[in-house]
């Protein structure tokens, strides 16, 4: 393909083995590593940078576990400093890094593998007269609002009609900042401002009205509100700011792909060359996700791989021109303008119990979704604007008579834009379950039993007994499988929604990941792996780091 071939890499999210080992034996260890900040928050593919980890990291060097292939962290002589390297074919996107020693492990820290060249912010750059010059305008700036009141300012040269994309990744990488992004004229007048686009991370897309120098300015408030209205800063207030007049990939249409089936994707963003606007991908049957990226574009998109037909909406699809679709299906769409409503027509039979799920905010988009169900005469039958846990709506609806039904998606407050994207999942209600644990690290002494609570979320009245086990334990360690009862009675000892694993670690020290797996014992025979969501990172870990210390 001219203009550079789009690279698509298929992955299942897994943890790799240890990538940095202790250089020499250590007799005593005071405590597990407790990093308070990581800087910079990423590296370009094919490059290396010095990664500085602040906080308690004794004894040095610490050891490291990373997620995904193609990155390594090698400890340097100075405490808290690593050489972070990414291979040229490393998959772009979020990675997790965990530091550990003989006494335990840290919580996972976020870093990013990027496609653009990367530079570091240079102080002083608080004042517009001291702005850091950026040229060429196609970089990722790794910066930090190092103290309260800190402001970072950058200067870029634009020509009339040129579009600048300025995107900040901070809060979604674990940084405690609620950033504010501005574009100013060379003499300091604010021309554009954004506060929140991806969660509390800002993004600005600015088209220059005339040739000249423009200023990009970033400051922040605390992500968790306090009684102060002052600009915030500190060791943890790190960020990655993409500044580019080149191509920027925002998302694809559709936003999910069917397992084993070729799907044609539309690449959506800014300044994307025509040759890169479409791509076909066929996920293999063992894939859980696909990552879409290109060396000529900033940004990457991870798409879920599902076991349903996937398609994109076709306008017009309002109530008078409903788009007919067959289901089960995952349909992707956009509420492109204020007041827009997307309507899909399906055929359903009496007694079928439909499961309708909209995902937008879970995918990082701003749509505050509302679901509506109409009959063939356009009479409203039911609606929903939230689920039990979040602002993306879900509802189950039992069909009362054979016929045509209309499923509508809108913004609750009538908002709309090209960024108000979503997926609508239509299927039969299916009982299912998931497992979760609440601690990603466990530490115990040799021969001392430790307990790990596991919660079971039984969706749609899933009523089968579940057997839960631990894999990856060291030799000599034991953990008897436990069973979760099919139905609970609410009394003490009820295991339907919560069980406790008792791990007897044995006599030998151990450091490594273990997994909690389960299978239901009824006709469904579903197998699941327990996970723990990582607050603010939009991802989860599927293993627990177990440390068994010596006597």
């Amino acid at each position: 393909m001219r203009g550079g071939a789009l690279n698509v890499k298929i992955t299942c999210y897994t943890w790799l083995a240890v990538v940095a080992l202790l250089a020499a034996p250590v007799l005593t260890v005071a405590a597990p590593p407790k990093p308070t900040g990581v800087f910079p928050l990423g590296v370009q593919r094919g490059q290396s940078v010095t990664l500085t980890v602040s906080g308690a990291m004794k004894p040095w060097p610490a050891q490291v576990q990373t997620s995904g292939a193609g990155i390594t962290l090698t400890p340097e002589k100075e405490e808290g400093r690593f050489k972070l390297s990414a291979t040229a074919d490393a998959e772009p996107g979020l990675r997790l890094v965990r530091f550990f020693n003989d006494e335990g492990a840290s919580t996972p820290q976020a870093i990013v593998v990027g496609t653009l060249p990367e530079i570091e912010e240079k102080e002083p750059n608080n004042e517009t007269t001291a702005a850091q010059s950026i040229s060429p305008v196609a970089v990722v700036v790794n910066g930090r609002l190092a103290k309260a009141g800190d402001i970072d300012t950058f200067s870029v040269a634009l020509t009339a009609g040129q579009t600048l994309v300025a995107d900040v990744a901070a809060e979604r990488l674990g940084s405690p900042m609620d950033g504010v992004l501005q574009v100013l004229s060379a003499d300091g007048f604010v021309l554009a401002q954004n506060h929140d686009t991806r969660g509390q991370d800002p993004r600005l897309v600015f088209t220059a009205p005339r040739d000249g120098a423009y200023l990009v300015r970033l400051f922040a408030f605390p992500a968790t509100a306090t009684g102060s209205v002052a600009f915030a800063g500190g060791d943890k207030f790190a960020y990655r700011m993409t500044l580019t007049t080149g191509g920027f990939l925002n998302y694809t249409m559709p936003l999910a792909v069917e397992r084993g089936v070729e799907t044609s994707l539309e690449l959506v963003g800014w300044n994307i060359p025509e040759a890169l606007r479409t791509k076909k991908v066929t996920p293999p049957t063992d894939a859980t996700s696909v990552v879409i990226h290109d060396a000529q574009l900033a940004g990457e998109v991870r798409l879920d791989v599902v076991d349903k037909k996937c398609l994109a909406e076709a306008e017009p699809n309002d109530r008078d021109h409903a788009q007919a679709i067959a289901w089960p299906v995952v349909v992707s769409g956009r509420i492109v303008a204020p007041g827009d409503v997307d309507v899909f027509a399906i055929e359903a039979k009496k007694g079928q119990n439909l499961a309708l799920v909209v995902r937008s905010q879970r995918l990082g988009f701003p749509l505050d979704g509302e679901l509506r169900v109409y009959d063939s005469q356009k009479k409203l039958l039911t609606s929903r604007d939230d689920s039990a846990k979040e602002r993306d709506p879900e509802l189950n609806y039992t069909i009362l008579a054979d016929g045509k039904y209309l499923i509508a998606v809108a913004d609750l407050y009538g908002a709309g834009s090209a960024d108000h994207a979503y997926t609508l999942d239509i299927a039969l209600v299916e009982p299912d379950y998931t497992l979760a644990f609440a601690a990603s690290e466990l530490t115990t002494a040799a021969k001392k039993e430790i307990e790990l609570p596991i919660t079971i979320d039984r969706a749609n009245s899933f009523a089968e007994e579940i057997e839960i086990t631990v894999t990856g334990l060291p030799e000599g360690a034991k953990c008897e499988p436990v069973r979760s009862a099919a139905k609970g009675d609410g009394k003490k000892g009820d295991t339907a929604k919560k069980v406790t694993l008792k791990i007897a670690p044995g006599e030998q020290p151990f450091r490594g990941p273990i997994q909690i797996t389960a299978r239901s014992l009824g006709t469904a025979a579903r197998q699941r792996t327990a996970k723990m969501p990582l607050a603010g990172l939009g991802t989860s870990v599927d293993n627990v780091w177990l440390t068994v210390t010596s006597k």
Side-chain angles (χ1 to χ4, degrees):
M1 180 184 293
R2 293 183 181 178
L6 185 70
N7 298 316
V8 180
K9 193 166 184 178
I10 315 295
T11 66
C12 293
Y13 193 82
T14 57
W15 283 90
L16 288 185
V18 173
V19 296
L21 299 176
L22 285 172
V26 177
L27 297 179
T28 60
V29 177
K34 293 183 179 179
T36 58
V38 174
F39 186 83
L41 286 174
V43 63
Q44 183 188 9
R45 302 169 81 206
Q47 301 296 319
S48 298
V49 296
T50 297
L51 187 77
T52 301
V53 183
S54 55
M57 298 294 289
K58 294 183 181 300
W60 185 254
Q63 300 179 68
V64 187
Q65 180 200 39
T66 65
S67 66
I71 63 169
T72 56
L73 279 85
T74 306
E76 298 182 347
K77 290 183 178 180
E78 184 178 346
E79 182 178 328
R81 292 168 70 90
F82 293 84
K83 180 181 180 181
L84 169 61
S85 301
T87 60
D89 62 349
E91 182 178 271
L94 178 70
R95 304 300 184 89
L96 298 177
V97 176
R98 198 195 310 252
F99 304 98
F100 67 95
N101 60 24
D102 289 344
E103 296 295 311
S106 70
T107 57
Q109 308 291 303
I111 60 172
V112 176
V113 176
T115 56
L116 293 184
E118 307 211 356
I119 63 173
E120 289 192 11
E121 168 226 354
K122 295 179 180 179
E123 294 285 355
N125 61 355
N126 269 36
E127 304 297 331
T128 57
T129 54
Q132 180 178 345
S133 179
I134 303 295
S135 181
V137 187
V139 299
V140 172
V141 179
N142 287 284
R144 180 157 45 194
L145 299 172
K147 58 184 179 181
D150 195 7
I151 300 172
D152 289 347
T153 311
F154 306 91
S155 175
V156 298
L158 304 176
T159 59
Q162 196 169 30
T163 296
L164 169 72
V165 181
D167 179 77
V168 174
E171 188 237 3
R172 55 189 139 151
L173 301 179
S175 181
M177 59 183 277
D178 181 4
V180 179
L181 193 58
Q182 297 176 327
V183 172
L184 293 75
S185 62
D187 50 1
F189 287 93
V190 177
L191 303 176
Q193 176 173 304
N194 182 262
H195 193 179
D196 300 321
T197 293
R198 289 288 186 264
Q200 295 188 82
D201 287 340
R203 175 187 293 165
L204 274 176
V205 180
F206 175 77
T207 300
R210 59 185 62 85
D211 295 356
Y214 294 85
L215 303 176
V216 179
R217 183 163 68 186
L218 175 67
F219 53 89
F221 301 101
T224 301
T226 65
S228 173
V229 292
F231 296 162
D235 185 56
K236 296 182 180 180
F237 282 64
Y239 63 85
R240 288 170 58 83
M241 181 193 294
T242 299
L243 291 172
T244 184
T245 55
F248 188 101
L249 176 58
N250 189 15
Y251 59 87
T252 68
M253 275 287 148
L255 290 162
V257 287
E258 184 178 1
R259 191 181 315 278
V261 175
E262 183 180 77
T263 302
S264 181
L265 300 172
E266 173 196 3
L267 274 61
V268 182
W270 300 274
N271 305 323
I272 297 178
E274 190 63 35
L276 298 180
R277 289 187 177 274
T278 59
K279 176 62 184 180
K280 292 183 178 180
V281 58
T282 305
T285 56
D286 61 348
T288 59
S289 65
V290 293
V291 175
I292 310 301
H293 62 90
D294 185 86
Q296 298 182 64
L297 303 177
E300 74 286 329
V301 178
R302 183 179 290 274
L303 305 179
D304 286 339
V305 176
V306 300
D307 294 314
K308 300 184 186 77
K309 181 178 178 61
C310 296
L311 54 87
E313 66 160 326
E315 294 281 1
N317 59 349
D318 54 28
R319 285 202 300 172
D320 293 327
H321 307 86
Q323 179 180 347
I325 57 175
W327 64 283
V329 67
V330 177
V331 57
S332 301
R334 288 166 280 202
I335 303 301
V336 295
D340 185 23
V341 179
D342 291 345
V343 184
F344 306 94
I346 65 169
E347 295 288 337
K349 295 184 180 298
K350 180 179 179 179
Q352 288 182 323
N353 193 4
L354 300 186
L356 307 174
V357 179
V358 169
R359 295 180 178 89
S360 181
Q361 298 204 1
R362 277 174 282 185
L363 302 177
F365 300 110
L367 178 73
D368 190 351
E370 182 184 18
L371 260 172
R372 306 169 192 164
V373 179
Y374 299 87
D375 64 15
S376 59
Q377 303 304 310
K378 304 176 186 177
K379 176 185 175 181
L380 180 65
L381 300 175
T382 188
S383 65
R384 182 71 55 81
D385 66 359
D386 285 319
S387 67
K389 300 178 181 179
E390 52 198 12
R391 294 168 69 183
D392 286 339
E394 302 179 10
L395 69 84
N396 296 344
Y397 181 75
T398 301
I399 299 298
L400 300 179
D402 293 1
K404 184 173 78 171
Y405 291 82
L406 305 179
I407 313 298
V409 179
D411 186 271
L412 180 63
Y413 300 103
S417 73
D419 211 33
H420 281 62
Y422 66 87
T423 62
L424 169 63
D425 191 326
I426 305 175
L428 287 174
V429 169
E430 186 175 7
D432 204 345
Y433 73 98
T434 57
L435 303 177
F437 51 89
S440 60
E441 301 84 35
L442 292 177
T443 301
T444 188
K447 300 179 68 175
K448 184 177 181 181
E449 186 178 83
I450 191 169
E451 295 185 348
L452 178 61
I454 304 295
T455 57
I456 302 101
D457 183 4
R458 294 174 175 268
N460 300 317
S461 303
F462 185 83
E464 292 186 6
E465 190 177 19
I466 301 168
E467 184 173 78
I468 302 168
T469 59
V470 176
T471 60
L473 286 172
E475 184 177 354
K478 295 181 180 179
C479 182
E480 293 297 325
V482 297
R483 291 194 176 185
S484 168
K487 294 182 179 181
D489 56 14
K491 298 180 180 180
K492 185 177 180 180
D494 185 352
T495 62
K497 294 186 177 180
K498 185 175 182 179
V499 299
T500 299
L501 293 167
K502 297 181 179 181
I503 302 172
E507 299 182 359
Q508 299 301 316
F510 174 76
R511 298 164 295 168
I514 60 175
Q515 279 195 324
I516 295 87
T517 59
R519 64 184 180 92
S520 59
L521 303 180
T523 57
R526 288 184 171 86
Q527 296 187 0
R528 298 290 182 263
T529 298
K531 297 182 179 182
M532 174 182 168
L534 296 176
L537 298 183
T539 189
S540 60
V541 290
D542 63 359
N543 65 78
V544 177
W545 186 271
L546 175 64
T547 302
V548 180
T549 63
S550 64
K551 293 180 181 179

